[in-house]
Amino acid sequence: MKFQLFTTEHFLILGGTLFLSLFFIWVGRKNNNLREILRWFFGILLLTNMLVYQTYRYQAGLWEVRHDLPLELCNLANVLTALALLLKRRGMAEIAWCWVMTGTLNGLITPDFMGVFPEVPYVSFFIGHAGLIIATNFLVFGMKLYPEKGSWLRVVIASQIYFALAFSVNKIIGSNYGYLMHKPEGGSAMDFFGPYPYYLITLECLGALLFFLALLPFRKRWKSN
């Protein structure tokens, strides 16, 4: 069953994500011991969630190399956020922030998957999206690993590395990671971006703009330092 958008269930998930983001930021700032526990909890949760979903796909006989490699941007954002939490790496945190607040947030607002609670696809999707957003807010604001000056360029470069990797893999195995070979078949905002391959240029420009907007809250800090 396809998840229905903008139902009571969907709005509760969106509201819960906002509330828990603010709550865990507050906890992280108030209590050093809980902050340490939470960074380990969120880091292990994100990695475990990916492992559980991969295991589920394999045991159900659904796993395919063209669809299940962790090469979607949200997959890499999960890994990057988890590592930033566990290793306390600011450079990872600033990339994770931009990827999550542009790509993952959009995925939570317009989720596209099949499943109902408590099936594995349902739980895994929302841990990997709502949970990831909560964890990333905690990482940046609760642990105070704020993006630093020059982060926009670093995020753009990291995104180009992802683009090159995903595009190369797509060419080799005939996959469509990152929707770099064709647009989503069910329709999306990409339908307004022009035909292939020109919509990729639009994606690149839009991504750079969204990263800039995601980093706006930190620019006042850069000017004061």
Side-chain angles (χ1 to χ4, degrees):
M1 178 179 176
K2 185 176 175 63
F3 185 84
Q4 299 299 306
L5 303 184
F6 308 125
T7 59
T8 301
E9 178 184 18
H10 190 195
F11 283 121
L12 284 174
I13 290 170
L14 293 173
T17 302
L18 176 60
F19 172 79
L20 290 176
S21 293
L22 296 173
F23 174 74
F24 285 118
I25 289 171
W26 177 78
V27 171
R29 286 174 171 268
K30 284 288 185 181
N31 191 301
N32 293 338
N33 292 330
L34 283 178
R35 182 170 65 243
E36 286 299 297
I37 293 172
L38 285 170
R39 77 176 180 87
W40 282 97
F41 169 75
F42 282 127
I44 293 172
L45 175 66
L46 294 177
L47 295 177
T48 301
N49 180 56
M50 292 185 65
L51 179 61
V52 168
Y53 184 70
Q54 290 284 322
T55 303
Y56 161 79
R57 293 278 297 177
Y58 180 78
Q59 291 183 342
L62 301 172
W63 198 95
E64 294 184 40
V65 69
R66 293 191 303 115
H67 302 294
D68 292 296
L69 293 177
L71 284 178
E72 299 292 356
L73 198 60
C74 278
N75 298 144
L76 296 184
N78 269 271
V79 173
L80 203 59
T81 300
L83 292 178
L85 285 161
L86 299 176
L87 302 176
K88 298 183 180 179
R89 293 290 189 267
R90 189 182 304 273
M92 293 179 177
E94 63 189 18
I95 297 171
W97 169 261
C98 286
W99 285 358
V100 170
M101 292 302 142
T102 57
T104 306
L105 181 59
N106 179 64
L108 184 65
I109 294 172
T110 57
D112 181 19
F113 74 100
M114 304 290 289
V116 295
F117 184 82
E119 294 176 350
V120 171
Y122 182 104
V123 175
S124 182
F125 179 88
F126 284 110
I127 291 177
H129 288 74
L132 177 58
I133 291 169
I134 294 166
T136 305
N137 275 292
F138 171 78
L139 170 68
V140 172
F141 294 106
M143 294 176 61
K144 300 182 181 180
L145 291 177
Y146 304 115
E148 294 183 330
K149 192 172 183 178
S151 55
W152 179 82
L153 181 58
R154 291 190 290 273
V155 173
V156 169
I157 291 173
S159 301
Q160 297 313 301
I161 294 172
Y162 164 74
F163 185 103
L165 173 63
F167 190 84
S168 298
V169 171
N170 288 339
K171 278 292 188 180
I172 293 170
I173 67 175
S175 53
N176 188 35
Y177 293 112
Y179 297 112
L180 300 183
M181 308 312 292
H182 59 79
K183 303 172 189 177
E185 295 179 358
S188 73
M190 292 185 194
D191 293 338
F192 300 98
F193 294 174
Y196 178 87
Y198 303 108
Y199 78 86
L200 298 179
I201 299 173
T202 306
L203 278 179
E204 291 269 29
C205 296
L206 181 60
L209 174 61
L210 291 176
F211 297 153
F212 176 83
L213 295 176
L215 291 168
L216 279 179
F218 309 102
R219 291 185 175 274
K220 187 176 180 180
R221 290 178 51 85
W222 301 343
K223 291 179 181 179
S224 63
N225 291 337

